[in-house]
Amino acid sequence: MNNRHYNIYFHTHTVSGIVISVVLFVIFFAGSFSFFRDEIVNWERSESTAQTKEIQLDYNNALQHLDKKYVLHARNITISKPSLENRVAVSLEGTKDSLAPKKQRLGDFFYLDNKSYKSYTYEEAYSLGELLYRLHFLAQIPYPAGYYLSGFTALFFLFAIITGVLLHWKKIVSNFYIFRPKEKLKTLWTDAHTALGMIGLPFQFVYAVTGAFFMIKLLIVAPAVKVLYNGDQNKLYKELEYTDTDYKFEKKKLANPFNINQLVAKAKSNWTDFEVTRVYIQNYGDVNMHVLVEGEMLNHKKFTGIGKIDYRVSDGKIIARKDPIAQTSYLDIVKNVLYRIHFGDYGGYALKIISFILGIITCFVIISGVMIWLVARQKNNLPEKKRRFNAAVVRIYLAICLSMYPITALAFIGSKIFYPLSQSNLFTLYFGGWLLLTIFFIIKKNDSFTNKFCLISGSILGFLIPITNGIVSGDWFWTSFMRNKVQIFFIDVFWIFLASISLYVAYHLKPKKVVS
């Protein structure tokens, strides 16, 4: 590689990495915890649920319960299970009956307990698991700014990965085995950055590509919508199978009684190892009422196997059918594979733990890259003013990034003690505490102190998490293990291991002097 190309790759890698470093750290740190979103939610609620994506609900009783509260006639109703918890998501569209009261023409969205049928608004059901999940794509920033910011960050991260590989290509194998902790500071950070960057390379590449796709796909397809579909987004969504066939409301009540449980069971019986994940009811109670039962094959049977059956309720006739085994389309594969590899929901706890570790390694790669940048710019031949500015930039970066660890641990404790903690209070605890810690570390002006304080305080709080859970709910990790409360047991033990590792690291850290 000639010097010109090397300099281009080097500066592209450095600039793209520095510009996105803080946002990228937040995305990967919160994203690492998001692999355990369902476990965190169940831990907060002191609940344990079956490890299945299938909706576990008595549809008939649930709909009768909802009919008393909302009057379901002529509505479209979607029942889905977005996560592993004892609640299902219910979306009600406004009634199609023009003579109905105004209140019935309004739609609604809520979560429904699959046993008690108690409903919860999105704000009431908000949890720390949801906060961390949404933080990993910056959803707390008003839409669409947060989505686009996370998407373009992923895109710049892809540039950083590619240019980093090109920079190290010739020595990519030999440098992987080199680690010189006793050398000067820049060498230490460079070795760690290179080795850990190579370990997490496939993981980072996958998340850069899929993250960019999910967050900025609307910008990517916008020209196609304008040119190929004359600006009609609905037509595009229909071809991509994001919307269902719309059936006409006939304004006639269905005379025959209907049984949704039977229709769902009938659809499920068509294929072995098939899980029902979504039930879509159109024109409830009307003569042209339809029930669409949708689901997918178990992961270990078929990685991508989406199936659906559309029933006309009046005569039980199948209007449309998609076989999850024989009719898997290219479109299904693209949509489902990108989703699966991004969320890592197909390999059980082993894959989630590996993904978490790789996510934290990526956080360290980001921090080490920033430290390389700082050490390279602290030479004595640079003006004092410029060196102070560079140090201040890194101090702010480290204060924002490293304080995420103790504040996340504190949020676990707070969400357990004060459960149910409202969305606004949870935001105040997490983001308010994060801001205060960041300001404190910036004022302190000691990067070594920031690093050690965050590791030690995060570790102490981490050890307190299972203790808090045991005191508040009585679910000590050994009792939850005996009672087969898998999600609760996992979170408690997870924090014990994480706190132990970070405490070990904290007490073996020795600050090195900057050698220029």
Side-chain angles (χ1 to χ4, degrees):
M1 184 187 298
N2 60 47
N3 286 336
R4 182 173 178 273
H5 287 165
Y6 181 87
N7 287 332
I8 290 171
Y9 295 146
F10 178 81
H11 289 297
T12 304
H13 181 74
T14 304
V15 172
S16 60
I18 289 296
V19 168
I20 64 173
S21 58
V22 171
V23 177
L24 195 63
F25 185 96
V26 172
I27 289 172
F28 270 96
F29 189 88
S32 297
F33 280 90
S34 296
F35 287 114
F36 309 120
R37 176 192 176 277
D38 298 341
E39 285 75 18
I40 295 170
V41 171
N42 284 292
W43 179 87
E44 285 180 82
R45 298 172 182 166
S46 299
E47 296 177 351
S48 190
T49 186
Q51 297 288 318
T52 175
K53 296 178 182 178
E54 184 161 44
I55 298 173
Q56 297 177 311
L57 182 71
D58 186 325
Y59 297 93
N60 295 337
N61 285 340
L63 290 168
Q64 287 174 12
H65 177 85
L66 293 176
D67 193 28
K68 294 174 184 177
K69 184 176 181 181
Y70 294 97
V71 184
L72 301 181
H73 179 71
R75 290 182 186 264
N76 291 349
I77 308 161
T78 303
I79 301 173
S80 60
K81 188 179 180 182
S83 55
L84 302 181
E85 54 183 288
N86 292 326
R87 297 176 189 178
V88 294
V90 180
S91 177
L92 300 180
E93 295 181 26
T95 182
K96 296 178 181 179
D97 186 354
S98 58
L99 300 177
K102 185 178 180 180
K103 186 178 179 181
Q104 293 177 30
R105 282 179 248 160
L106 300 175
D108 201 0
F109 175 84
F110 52 88
Y111 293 96
L112 187 73
D113 189 282
N114 58 13
K115 294 288 192 300
S116 66
Y117 307 128
K118 182 180 179 181
S119 59
Y120 303 84
T121 64
Y122 178 76
E123 289 74 20
E124 289 171 339
Y126 202 85
S127 63
L128 179 59
E130 181 74 1
L131 184 151
L132 291 169
Y133 167 70
R134 297 186 70 79
L135 180 59
H136 102 277
F137 53 91
L138 310 181
Q140 284 82 7
I141 299 174
Y143 178 84
Y147 283 38
Y148 290 161
L149 178 59
S150 61
F152 281 109
T153 298
L155 195 61
F156 277 107
F157 184 46
L158 187 60
F159 292 153
I161 292 170
I162 294 171
T163 52
V165 170
L166 291 172
L167 277 173
H168 297 286
W169 184 253
K170 284 189 175 181
K171 297 181 179 180
I172 206 163
V173 176
S174 59
N175 285 354
F176 177 76
Y177 294 100
I178 296 174
F179 185 65
R180 295 160 288 186
K182 295 184 180 180
E183 295 291 330
K184 61 182 181 179
L185 195 59
K186 185 182 177 184
T187 303
L188 186 154
W189 285 119
T190 302
D191 289 348
H193 186 76
T194 305
L196 292 175
M198 285 308 304
I199 290 173
L201 180 62
F203 173 87
Q204 293 157 15
F205 182 82
V206 164
Y207 280 86
V209 172
T210 55
F213 171 78
F214 287 137
M215 293 296 103
I216 58 177
K217 61 185 175 185
L218 290 179
L219 292 179
I220 296 171
V221 302
V225 173
K226 189 172 183 179
V227 175
L228 301 177
Y229 298 93
N230 295 319
D232 188 355
Q233 288 188 1
N234 293 330
K235 190 175 181 182
L236 171 66
Y237 291 152
K238 189 169 183 63
E239 288 200 13
L240 293 176
E241 298 182 9
Y242 284 120
T243 57
D244 301 294
T245 303
D246 189 27
Y247 294 104
K248 185 181 178 182
F249 174 56
E250 297 292 350
K251 301 179 182 178
K252 296 178 182 177
K253 283 193 175 183
L254 184 63
N256 301 329
F258 52 86
N259 191 317
I260 306 297
N261 286 343
Q262 285 185 359
L263 291 176
V264 173
K266 185 179 178 183
K268 181 176 170 60
S269 66
N270 281 270
W271 306 288
T272 306
D273 300 317
F274 182 74
E275 293 184 320
V276 176
T277 57
R278 178 173 174 260
V279 174
Y280 179 46
I281 303 169
Q282 283 199 55
N283 306 320
Y284 187 89
D286 186 70
V287 70
N288 197 26
M289 177 179 173
H290 284 250
V291 175
L292 174 69
V293 182
E294 184 178 333
E296 55 189 60
M297 302 297 294
L298 291 174
N299 295 327
H300 65 276
K301 294 293 182 180
K302 198 170 191 294
F303 191 72
T304 300
I306 298 173
K308 58 181 76 172
I309 297 181
D310 188 344
Y311 293 102
R312 186 167 61 205
V313 177
S314 58
D315 55 8
K317 183 179 179 181
I318 296 176
I319 304 302
R321 185 178 190 271
K322 181 176 183 179
D323 192 313
I325 301 172
Q327 291 180 267
T328 301
S329 65
Y330 174 76
L331 181 62
D332 289 331
I333 293 172
V334 171
K335 290 193 302 183
N336 208 36
V337 167
L338 286 174
Y339 179 90
R340 285 281 170 82
I341 62 177
H342 187 86
F343 286 91
D345 65 345
Y346 54 88
Y349 280 114
L351 180 61
K352 287 184 178 183
I353 293 169
I354 291 170
S355 298
F356 176 85
I357 293 170
L358 290 172
I360 297 301
I361 285 175
T362 303
C363 291
F364 185 83
V365 170
I366 295 164
I367 291 292
S368 60
V370 172
M371 296 309 296
I372 292 169
W373 179 87
L374 173 64
V375 174
R377 282 155 182 78
Q378 292 296 80
K379 299 181 185 292
N380 290 328
N381 59 349
L382 283 175
E384 179 68 19
K385 187 176 181 181
K386 187 170 282 189
R387 282 194 289 167
R388 285 183 178 180
F389 174 79
N390 293 337
V393 169
V394 172
R395 187 183 310 122
I396 294 169
Y397 279 16
L398 292 178
I400 295 171
C401 296
L402 297 180
S403 56
M404 283 192 77
Y405 180 44
I407 203 60
T408 300
L410 180 63
F412 269 82
I413 295 172
S415 64
K416 192 67 181 182
I417 294 174
F418 301 107
Y419 179 83
L421 201 60
S422 67
Q423 183 179 2
S424 59
N425 288 333
L426 191 55
F427 275 24
T428 301
L429 172 62
Y430 195 93
F431 295 109
W434 189 6
L435 177 62
L436 290 175
L437 271 180
T438 300
I439 293 171
F440 170 70
F441 293 135
I442 292 171
I443 294 172
K444 184 69 177 175
K445 294 183 179 181
N446 188 326
D447 295 342
S448 178
F449 172 83
T450 299
N451 189 19
K452 204 155 191 175
F453 182 92
C454 288
L455 286 173
I456 294 174
S457 62
S459 300
I460 294 170
L461 291 169
F463 283 123
L464 290 174
I465 288 170
I467 295 173
T468 302
N469 183 38
I471 294 171
V472 173
S473 67
D475 285 323
W476 299 96
F477 68 87
W478 57 86
T479 59
S480 57
F481 176 78
M482 297 296 291
R483 296 171 185 169
N484 201 31
K485 294 183 177 182
V486 179
Q487 292 98 339
I488 299 173
F489 168 77
F490 177 82
I491 292 297
D492 283 344
V493 173
F494 164 79
W495 269 109
I496 291 172
F497 274 98
L498 184 60
S500 300
I501 293 168
S502 57
L503 193 63
Y504 176 84
V505 171
Y507 279 102
H508 284 77
L509 280 178
K510 293 180 180 179
K512 294 177 72 72
K513 293 182 179 179
V514 177
V515 180
S516 54

